[in-house]
Amino acid sequence: MFEGFELENVDVGEVNLRVRHGGSGPPLVLLHGHPRTHTTWYDVAPRLADAFTVVCPDLPGYGQSSKPETLEDHSAHSKRAMARHIVALMRHLGHERFAVAGHDRGSAVAYRLTLDHPGVVTKLAILDGIPIGEHLSRADATFARAWWHWFFFGQLAKPAERVINADPDAWYGGDPEAMGAENHADFLRAIHDPETVHAMLEDYRAGLGPDREADDADKAAGKKIECPLLVLWSSLDDLEDLYGDPVAVWREWAQDVRGFAIESGHHVAEENPADLAAALREFLG
């Protein structure tokens, strides 16, 4: 995987991040979703490396990045905290300004980074996501039935860690043929680590608390994403079923928005890397 890329662990102060980076050109950071690691980009990053310096970290708490301290308010796992760590990582690698693309939970880190550090991000790509605050303010029985895991992960009375750690393979699934053998092996290592499972669930607990509070505060203040925004969603997933046109949702959050569906299931980087890389290349210019 990632031929020509360098793999290292970077101390950014509060956490250590495992990161793969390579290529040449303007910097682009790719942020994975739950429950993947940075290796989900194994067939996307090399397709972009001729035109961009591509940086693929394990999000804080995920994969082999270190685990933030567990706090009562879950703020150490908030998207604001994660975004701060990604900015520190990129500065460590010599990039003061950069483009960001995030998938799933990584998309929440990506837009939060853009809102909190507007002078840093040149362009933003959101894959299979809308703001967490929008998800929760629009939640209805259909959302609860399809995305019930948000609330299962978020509660503490009967922690989801007990269920998941009893049989991670049954819970998370994962097909080595579909995912790629090395990517699948990295994924397995992550989901079989109880500390990683706990950190991934803390991400969702932060989603119901400090992440929603940050989104609601920005929306009430009329804060907008200032850089160009590309919204991509998987045609075989349920984002359109839940919200209609995702671009219309994002128009309430950004000044310059465009987007379209890509033929794929949820894990688009693994299922349709060619079309995803082509869309990112065209948007990022």
Side-chain angles (χ1 to χ4, degrees), residues 15-253:
V15 293
N16 285 277
L17 300 180
R18 181 176 68 150
V19 58
R20 190 109 44 171
H21 56 97
S24 61
L28 164 65
V29 60
L30 302 177
L31 304 178
H32 65 84
H34 172 94
R36 297 306 203 247
T37 73
H38 81 274
T39 64
T40 194
W41 303 109
Y42 78 95
D43 203 7
V44 173
R47 295 173 186 266
L48 298 170
D50 65 316
F52 304 95
T53 299
V54 185
V55 180
C56 305
D58 286 349
L59 289 173
Y62 283 75
Q64 294 177 44
S65 288
S66 65
K67 316 309 173 195
E69 180 184 2
T70 299
L71 301 177
E72 186 175 355
D73 66 355
H74 314 293
S75 60
H77 294 78
S78 69
K79 309 312 158 291
R80 174 159 282 157
M82 291 189 188
R84 184 173 68 246
H85 302 325
I86 298 301
V87 171
L89 168 66
M90 295 301 280
R91 286 177 176 161
H92 173 89
L93 296 175
H95 309 303
E96 291 294 329
R97 301 189 75 230
F98 49 87
V100 184
H103 176 256
D104 185 76
R105 302 303 285 187
S107 76
V109 180
Y111 78 74
R112 178 47 51 197
L113 192 162
T114 307
L115 286 166
D116 285 357
H117 308 272
V120 165
V121 180
T122 57
K123 291 186 177 182
L124 169 65
I126 295 291
L127 319 179
D128 286 325
I130 66 170
I132 288 174
E134 295 289 347
H135 278 298
L136 295 173
S137 67
R138 297 164 183 249
D140 57 13
T142 300
F143 177 86
R145 184 167 56 249
W147 291 32
W148 60 273
H149 62 282
W150 275 35
F151 308 104
F152 178 51
F153 292 171
Q155 56 81 42
L156 294 171
K158 297 180 179 180
E161 286 91 337
R162 298 177 187 173
V163 176
I164 295 171
N165 291 328
D167 193 344
D169 297 309
W171 180 268
Y172 284 118
D175 178 359
E177 184 173 348
M179 294 178 64
E182 292 177 88
N183 176 39
H184 182 259
D186 202 70
F187 159 78
L188 282 184
R189 177 174 177 174
I191 66 171
H192 280 266
D193 178 2
E195 290 188 2
T196 300
V197 170
H198 171 69
M200 291 193 295
L201 300 186
E202 282 292 300
D203 169 358
Y204 282 82
R205 290 163 188 155
L208 300 183
D211 293 339
R212 182 179 190 179
E213 292 167 7
D215 283 5
D216 289 352
D218 281 348
K219 189 171 186 179
K223 193 170 185 179
K224 299 275 190 178
I225 292 167
E226 298 174 2
C227 68
L229 168 61
L230 173 67
V231 182
L232 301 173
W233 60 94
S234 303
S235 61
L236 304 179
D237 205 2
D238 62 356
L239 207 64
E240 280 186 290
D241 295 336
L242 289 169
Y243 304 112
D245 180 8
V247 172
V249 178
W250 280 103
R251 285 202 178 106
E252 299 182 24
W253 288 80

